[in-house]
Amino acid sequence: MTSLGDELATGLGVRVQRTRALAALAGVLLCASVTALAGPIAFVGLMIPHIMRLFCGNNMLVLLPFSAVGGSILLLISDILGRVLLAPSQLEVGIVTALLGAPVFIWIVRKARVKGL
């Protein structure tokens, strides 16, 4: 829609706002189903490459190792925080990862939506 313009899409009979809303809903449902199937720790695989892309660009030869290291650092920090925050007991890594990762993932989605407008 954006590459040719909203006016052209509307002229061709596409409901632009509805299509954007359905695409956003599909993205959220896909991320939710992947997280539900693979577990909360797999959420790291959805989030970390986007964060690392800010630091090292789109070159996949650089992005893949940085994503692997970044994901393991995030899981290590999540595990440490889960053990330290509630000292006698502990939080699961998946809960802490979701608490740390959800704001970042929302920021990524909002940033992508603003670019699309």
Side-chain angles (χ1 to χ4, degrees):
M1 288 179 295
T2 309
S3 63
L4 295 177
D6 291 345
E7 294 83 19
L8 180 62
T10 304
L12 291 172
V14 176
R15 296 180 185 167
V16 177
Q17 295 298 330
R18 179 177 164 220
T19 304
R20 281 192 181 142
L22 287 174
L25 179 67
V28 168
L29 289 175
L30 285 171
C31 288
S33 62
V34 165
T35 304
L37 289 173
I41 295 176
F43 181 65
V44 173
L46 295 171
M47 180 186 54
I48 290 295
H50 290 289
I51 294 171
M52 290 298 131
R53 190 173 289 133
L54 295 173
F55 297 115
C56 62
N58 290 330
N59 185 1
M60 290 297 162
L61 292 174
V62 177
L63 183 62
L64 187 64
F66 272 87
S67 295
V69 171
S72 43
I73 288 172
L74 177 69
L75 285 175
L76 183 65
I77 289 171
S78 297
D79 186 43
I80 291 171
L81 284 175
R83 293 173 190 259
V84 170
L85 288 177
L86 300 174
S89 62
Q90 52 184 307
L91 289 172
E92 291 185 23
V93 176
I95 294 171
V96 179
T97 303
L99 289 174
L100 293 176
V104 174
F105 195 67
I106 291 170
W107 173 72
I108 291 169
V109 170
R110 289 181 58 106
K111 186 176 112 182
R113 188 173 63 181
V114 169
K115 272 187 190 176
L117 296 176

